[in-house]
Protein backbone atom coordinates (compact mmCIF):
# COMPACT_ATOMS: atom_id res chain seq x y z
CA UNK A 1 0.00 0.00 0.00
CA UNK A 2 1.37 3.41 -0.94
CA UNK A 3 2.07 6.06 1.67
CA UNK A 4 -0.50 8.79 2.12
CA UNK A 5 0.41 12.23 0.89
CA UNK A 6 1.09 14.81 3.60
CA UNK A 7 -0.43 18.19 2.72
CA UNK A 8 0.82 21.51 4.09
CA UNK A 9 -1.13 24.75 3.66
CA UNK A 10 0.59 28.14 3.66
CA UNK A 11 -2.12 30.70 4.38
CA UNK A 12 -2.63 34.15 5.89
CA UNK A 13 -3.04 34.27 9.67
CA UNK A 14 -6.17 35.57 11.34
CA UNK A 15 -6.64 39.21 12.35
CA UNK A 16 -5.45 38.73 15.95
CA UNK A 17 -2.21 37.04 14.87
CA UNK A 18 -1.61 39.69 12.19
CA UNK A 19 -1.93 42.40 14.84
CA UNK A 20 0.89 40.65 16.73
CA UNK A 21 3.13 40.68 13.61
CA UNK A 22 2.42 37.09 12.53
CA UNK A 23 1.00 37.33 9.03
CA UNK A 24 1.40 33.79 7.59
CA UNK A 25 1.05 30.26 8.91
CA UNK A 26 1.92 26.70 7.92
CA UNK A 27 -0.69 24.08 8.77
CA UNK A 28 -0.63 20.36 8.16
CA UNK A 29 -0.83 16.92 9.72
CA UNK A 30 2.27 14.76 10.07
CA UNK A 31 0.86 11.39 11.02
CA UNK A 32 -1.09 12.04 14.23
CA UNK A 33 0.71 15.32 14.93
CA UNK A 34 -0.97 18.59 13.97
CA UNK A 35 1.38 21.25 12.72
CA UNK A 36 0.59 24.94 13.14
CA UNK A 37 3.56 27.30 12.71
CA UNK A 38 3.34 31.10 12.64
CA UNK A 39 5.66 33.12 10.36
CA UNK A 40 6.15 36.82 9.70
CA UNK A 41 6.41 36.57 5.89
CA UNK A 42 4.97 34.33 3.21
CA UNK A 43 8.50 33.45 2.05
CA UNK A 44 9.45 32.27 5.55
CA UNK A 45 6.28 30.16 5.69
CA UNK A 46 6.94 28.60 2.27
CA UNK A 47 10.56 27.82 3.22
CA UNK A 48 9.40 26.13 6.44
CA UNK A 49 6.74 24.15 4.57
CA UNK A 50 9.40 22.98 2.07
CA UNK A 51 11.61 21.72 4.90
CA UNK A 52 8.69 19.78 6.36
CA UNK A 53 7.61 18.42 2.96
CA UNK A 54 11.08 17.17 2.07
CA UNK A 55 11.20 15.30 5.38
CA UNK A 56 7.75 13.72 4.93
CA UNK A 57 7.62 12.68 1.26
CA UNK A 58 5.30 12.18 -0.52
CA UNK A 59 4.07 15.65 0.34
CA UNK A 60 2.34 18.63 -1.20
CA UNK A 61 2.46 22.33 -0.33
CA UNK A 62 -0.56 24.45 -1.18
CA UNK A 63 0.12 28.19 -1.10
CA UNK A 64 -2.91 30.41 -0.61
CA UNK A 65 -3.16 34.10 -1.58
CA UNK A 66 -4.26 36.74 0.92
CA UNK A 67 -7.88 36.29 -0.18
CA UNK A 68 -7.69 32.52 0.51
CA UNK A 69 -7.63 31.30 -3.09
CA UNK A 70 -4.96 28.78 -4.09
CA UNK A 71 -2.03 30.60 -5.64
CA UNK A 72 0.26 27.65 -6.39
CA UNK A 73 1.12 24.13 -5.27
CA UNK A 74 4.33 22.10 -5.03
CA UNK A 75 4.64 18.30 -4.84
CA UNK A 76 7.61 16.42 -3.35
CA UNK A 77 8.19 12.74 -4.00
CA UNK A 78 5.99 10.35 -5.95
CA UNK A 79 2.26 10.88 -5.58
CA UNK A 80 0.56 7.83 -4.08
CA UNK A 81 -1.33 5.68 -6.54
CA UNK A 82 -5.10 5.79 -6.42
CA UNK A 83 -7.48 2.94 -6.95
CA UNK A 84 -9.14 2.70 -10.40
CA UNK A 85 -12.40 4.08 -8.99
CA UNK A 86 -10.69 7.20 -7.64
CA UNK A 87 -8.79 8.36 -10.70
CA UNK A 88 -10.17 9.97 -13.80
CA UNK A 89 -10.04 8.49 -17.25
CA UNK A 90 -6.88 8.29 -19.28
CA UNK A 91 -6.65 9.64 -22.79
CA UNK A 92 -8.86 7.58 -25.09
CA UNK A 93 -10.77 5.82 -22.27
CA UNK A 94 -14.48 6.15 -21.74
CA UNK A 95 -15.93 6.89 -18.33
CA UNK A 96 -13.93 8.04 -15.35
CA UNK A 97 -14.68 10.81 -12.91
CA UNK A 98 -14.39 13.72 -15.34
Amino acid sequence: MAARMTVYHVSPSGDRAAAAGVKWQVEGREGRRLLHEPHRTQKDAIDAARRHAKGHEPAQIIVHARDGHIRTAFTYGEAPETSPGERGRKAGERGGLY
Side-chain angles (χ1 to χ4, degrees):
M1 183 171 166
R4 294 189 66 153
M5 177 152 322
T6 304
V7 179
Y8 299 96
H9 291 270
V10 175
S11 58
S13 296
D15 293 336
R16 292 183 77 175
V22 175
K23 300 192 187 229
W24 292 91
Q25 61 190 1
V26 177
E27 293 181 312
R29 179 180 297 272
E30 297 171 342
R32 297 183 84 176
R33 178 179 168 244
L34 286 175
L35 175 71
H36 181 83
E37 288 184 356
H39 295 278
R40 292 194 180 276
T41 66
Q42 187 181 44
K43 182 187 180 315
D44 290 344
I46 292 171
D47 290 343
R50 282 186 174 146
R51 285 191 300 275
H52 286 289
K54 289 179 181 178
H56 292 90
E57 290 183 9
Q60 183 177 39
I61 300 171
I62 299 174
V63 181
H64 297 268
R66 288 194 185 278
D67 63 3
H69 287 86
I70 294 175
R71 195 179 98 188
T72 189
F74 304 98
T75 302
Y76 296 88
E78 297 269 338
E81 292 194 26
T82 59
S83 68
E86 293 177 350
R87 69 174 174 248
R89 64 190 153 118
K90 294 181 181 176
E93 287 184 344
R94 292 181 159 227
L97 298 177
Y98 52 89

